[in-house]
Amino acid sequence: MLVRLSDPKTGATNLLRHCAEARAGERLLVITEPPEHGYYSEDAVACIESAAQEMGLFMRRMDVGFSPSAPRLTPDRLAEIDRADVIVFLARLGDQLRFAEMPAGKRIVVSFALDADAFGSPFGTVPYPAMEGLHRCVTTALHRARSLRVRCPRGTDFSGAPALRPGPGDDTTIRRFPLSVFPPIPASDFSGRVALCGFLTGTGSLYYDDYTLEFDGPLHAVFEHGRLIAFEGDPASVRAAEAQYDRVAARFGIDRAAVHSWHAGIHPGCGYPTAARTNYERWGGSAFGNPRILHLHTCGAYAPGEISWNVLDPTIEIDGTPVWEDGVFHAERLPGGAEILAAFPEAAAIFAEPDRRVGL
């Protein structure tokens, strides 16, 4: 599709007003990391600053750097958070801590819009309430589902029954902007095979040397009831994958065979315009929101684990209905989905003409 960019401030205002629920006079803390790390762009901070000023927020900025393998909130950082009403992470620290307990009573948002172009694209500008409503529709359908089956053109085929907790299905203690995946589905009741799309990469939890392993031949991961059984395919690729799991599991002292959970993108405006291999870390922190990508959390019996399996162009059947079909999310096939699209023409437009760029 032809991606039409809006004023990036539109997306930043969408984050602050609709996701963070910020109001004039409140104290905003923007937590950043240095742009030279090549992850968040400095212009993303400028977008938030411009929108905050127009909304009458009192903004402070705190640079937390980047800690690859020991992310934490120090007492000084917690004190800064305690002085704020709204906290926005433009730093990987927020994503690294997304499954951790955060200070109570704060509205904390991690932005997966990494630069001004993302804030100005449909990824940033589609109204947050529209995606919130669709997220609720997906979550409700998954809670009610008796069976799920996932396939892809390369040979992925796994199935099982979702075992989701009762309730709204919020899987982290932090709000996410844009809201672009459904809650992780525990893999303990799923079995089958996953066709990997040319690489294994980390999950954004911890960072380590040789974070991504590329391989040339076809490779499938076989798992049963949430346990990795074997890799199958090109012999050299199988040996490389086995060695990667041995190395990462030994380094962190984690469960090598665990396949913890999986989820897929729900935001058709989530385009990734550059090749994934130019920066897999950045790709893994943004592109996953596109419905063309489904990923599983593995190597570690916790979310999100330390190695992800990525599936391209999934078909996801909910009780036999293909709600995702070859990487297209058909929100109108969910109960209540068509009504939400009718109420938000901006969302309906991007669902009618999704951004297919995922860097692969």
Side-chain angles (χ1 to χ4, degrees), residues 54-67:
E54 187 170 283
M55 290 176 60
L57 302 175
F58 298 99
M59 176 178 151
R60 292 172 56 84
R61 176 176 179 175
M62 178 173 66
D63 190 323
V64 296
F66 172 59
S67 178

Side-chain angles (χ1 to χ4, degrees), residues 269-288:
C270 179
Y272 196 84
T274 56
R277 67 187 314 167
T278 63
N279 189 334
Y280 278 108
E281 296 175 13
R282 199 172 196 264
W283 177 86
S286 178
F288 67 88

Side-chain angles (χ1 to χ4, degrees), residues 115-137:
D115 53 32
D117 283 349
F119 275 114
S121 77
F123 187 45
T125 61
V126 167
Y128 184 83
M131 297 311 303
E132 190 175 36
L134 292 173
H135 181 273
R136 190 162 49 248
C137 287

Side-chain angles (χ1 to χ4, degrees), residues 93-100 102 110 112 171-174 176 203-205 295 297 303-304:
L93 179 64
D95 199 29
Q96 289 173 296
L97 297 175
R98 68 190 184 276
F99 291 98
M102 297 294 284
V110 172
F112 296 118
D171 48 295
T172 79
T173 57
I174 298 176
R176 294 158 296 174
T203 63
S205 170
H295 69 273
H297 306 135

Side-chain angles (χ1 to χ4, degrees), residues 64-132:
V64 296
F66 172 59
S67 178
S69 59
R72 66 190 186 99
L73 289 172
T74 63
D76 287 348
R77 293 171 181 173
L78 285 169
E80 284 291 330
I81 289 174
D82 194 53
R83 285 190 281 269
D85 301 301
V86 174
I87 298 92
V88 173
F89 278 95
L90 295 175
R92 276 172 285 183
L93 179 64
D95 199 29
Q96 289 173 296
L97 297 175
R98 68 190 184 276
F99 291 98
E101 288 299 320
M102 297 294 284
K106 305 295 178 182
R107 282 159 282 152
I108 303 173
V109 179
V110 172
S111 175
F112 296 118
L114 306 182
D115 53 32
D117 283 349
F119 275 114
S121 77
F123 187 45
T125 61
V126 167
Y128 184 83
M131 297 311 303
E132 190 175 36

